[in-house]
Amino acid sequence: MPNKPQILFGKDVSLAIKADLKIRIAKLEAQGIKPGLAAVLVGEDPASQVYVRSKERQSAKLGFNSNVLRLAMETSQAELLQLVSQLNNDDLVHGILVQLPLPDHIDSQLIIESINPDKDVDGFHPVSVGRLVLGLDGFVSCTPAGILEIIRFYNIKTSGKHVVIVGRSNIVGKPLANLMLQKSELGNATVTLVHTRTPDMGYHTRQADIIVAAAGVPKFITADMVKEGAVVIDVGINRVDDSTRERGYRLVGDVDYEAVLGKVSAITPVPGGVGPMTIAMLLSNTVKAAENSLK
Ligand code: GUN
C-alpha cells in the first residue's frame, strides 16, 4: 500500500500569502498608499456574485480601498468602456477586475484590452499574457499563480517532472503551461496540455507526475487515468445538485477525489484547495500594482 496521500490545503497557503501581504500593505500605508481595487460586475450570474462578494470582503479585511461597481445586465459596451476608462484614470485605483463572463452583447476581449496593463490584476490583458510567455515580470492570471504557490508551499518538485494539464482555457490551462515550462524555480517541467480534441486522454494523464485538472467537468479525472504516486491538482469548482444540503447543491472538483485518493501521493481537496488561492493572488497582484505605482 502506498503511504497516506498528503492533502494540499490551499486554504492554509492562502492564509500564509495574506499574512505576508499584511506586512507589505503596512509598508505602503507608511508611504500614504492604500491598495485600491475596483471590481466590475455586470448582470446577476449567481457564481459571479459569490466570487465578487468574496473579493470585496477579503480586500476590505486587508484594508484595501475596495470598490465593487455593480451594473445592470443591460449595460452597453460603450458604457462599460467608459467606466473602465474612468478607472484607468483614477489614481486611487491600482487594480481593475472585470468579472467574467460578461453578457453576450459585450465583447469581453475588447473590454479586457481596454484595461491599462499596469492595472491588469487579473493578468488577462495581451500585454500581461505576452510578458508571461516571454518570462518577463508582470501580472499572472490568479488561478495559475495560486497553483504555483501551493507547489511552493508544499515543496513539490517540478524540475524535470512531467506535468499534464487538462484544459486549454486562457484563464488556467494556457498560462499554467507557460509558467511550468519557464526556466525558474517552480518551472523546468515537461508540459503536456490535453483538451477536448485529444484522443485517448488517459494515455497522457497516466504518464503524468503532476496532473492539473481544469476541464470544468465534475469527476472528469477517474482513478484509471492516474499513475500511482502522482500529484493531483484539482482546479474544478462544479455545482452539483444535492437535496441534502440547505443551499441545494454541493461543490465537486474535476477529479473523482474518493476514487483517486488511494493512488496519489498528494492531492488538493475541493473546496479548500485551489479555490481560496485565486482571490489570495488577486489581492497579491493588487498589492504589487500599488507598489509599482510608487516606482
Ligand atoms: N471568472 C472566472 N474566473 C475569473 C477570474 O479569475 N477573473 C475574472 N475577472 N473573472 C473570472
Side-chain angles (χ1 to χ4, degrees):
M1 272 296 279
N3 291 331
K4 243 179 121 192
Q6 181 173 32
I7 309 302
L8 309 170
F9 293 106
K11 180 79 203 200
D12 291 351
V13 186
S14 76
L15 294 175
I17 297 270
K18 285 188 268 189
D20 180 56
L21 287 179
K22 278 186 189 155
I23 298 163
R24 288 164 63 191
I25 292 164
K27 282 187 192 152
L28 282 167
E29 279 181 350
Q31 295 176 82
I33 301 256
K34 230 181 212 253
L37 176 65
V40 181
L41 174 62
V42 184
E44 288 169 4
D45 179 73
S48 290
Q49 284 180 322
V50 172
Y51 291 140
V52 168
R53 216 175 301 131
S54 189
K55 289 167 185 174
E56 188 176 23
R57 206 178 315 123
Q58 294 195 42
S59 53
K61 206 168 149 193
L62 280 181
F64 282 23
N65 186 5
S66 78
N67 191 9
V68 176
L69 302 126
R70 292 183 168 81
L71 308 179
M73 183 76 180
E74 302 75 38
T75 303
S76 73
Q77 181 170 288
E79 284 169 320
L80 187 53
L81 284 170
Q82 170 61 33
L83 175 63
V84 171
S85 161
Q86 210 176 301
L87 297 170
N88 281 340
N89 291 315
D90 185 339
D91 288 342
L92 294 179
V93 173
H94 303 104
I96 301 171
L97 169 149
V98 179
Q99 187 67 30
L100 303 179
L102 287 168
D104 289 343
H105 65 274
I106 295 176
D107 177 349
S108 302
Q109 193 57 30
L110 187 74
I111 301 300
I112 288 168
E113 292 186 28
S114 75
I115 296 171
N116 177 348
D118 293 337
K119 300 190 178 189
D120 177 35
V121 287
D122 253 333
F124 293 167
H125 193 285
V127 168
S128 303
V129 178
R131 295 188 68 86
L132 165 63
V133 172
L134 293 171
L136 302 171
D137 183 53
F139 295 111
V140 177
S141 180
C142 301
T143 302
I147 291 169
L148 249 60
E149 291 304 324
I150 292 176
I151 287 172
R152 188 200 308 278
F153 186 90
Y154 285 102
N155 207 14
I156 295 165
K157 296 291 164 235
T158 56
S159 182
K161 296 294 161 86
H162 187 185
V163 178
V164 176
I165 301 170
V166 182
R168 56 176 155 181
S169 71
N170 289 338
I171 296 185
V172 182
K174 284 191 219 165
L176 184 64
N178 278 285
L179 281 170
M180 301 211 71
L181 54 77
Q182 220 70 259
K183 280 187 187 167
S184 63
E185 185 201 344
L186 302 169
N188 286 320
T190 302
V191 178
T192 300
L193 206 161
V194 299
H195 49 77
T196 43
R197 297 294 176 97
T198 304
D200 195 2
M201 202 179 281
Y203 166 80
H204 299 281
T205 57
R206 277 189 292 277
Q207 324 277 321
D209 302 307
I210 301 173
I211 299 179
V212 181
V217 179
K219 300 191 177 185
F220 185 76
I221 303 295
T222 48
D224 61 302
M225 295 170 78
V226 177
K227 178 173 81 175
E228 201 80 44
V231 173
V232 175
I233 312 266
D234 190 350
V235 183
I237 305 178
N238 307 289
R239 290 184 180 195
V240 299
D241 292 340
D242 186 343
S243 57
T244 70
R245 303 289 173 102
E246 199 177 319
R247 55 187 179 181
Y249 67 88
R250 69 194 149 87
L251 297 177
V252 303
D254 287 357
V255 176
D256 189 349
Y257 186 88
E258 312 300 337
V260 308
L261 203 56
K263 276 186 118 174
V264 301
S265 62
I267 186 166
T268 61
V270 176
V274 174
M277 290 307 297
T278 299
I279 296 183
M281 298 320 290
L282 173 73
L283 301 170
S284 171
N285 278 347
T286 306
V287 169
K288 176 172 169 166
E291 289 167 347
N292 287 347
S293 75
L294 285 169
K295 286 178 191 159

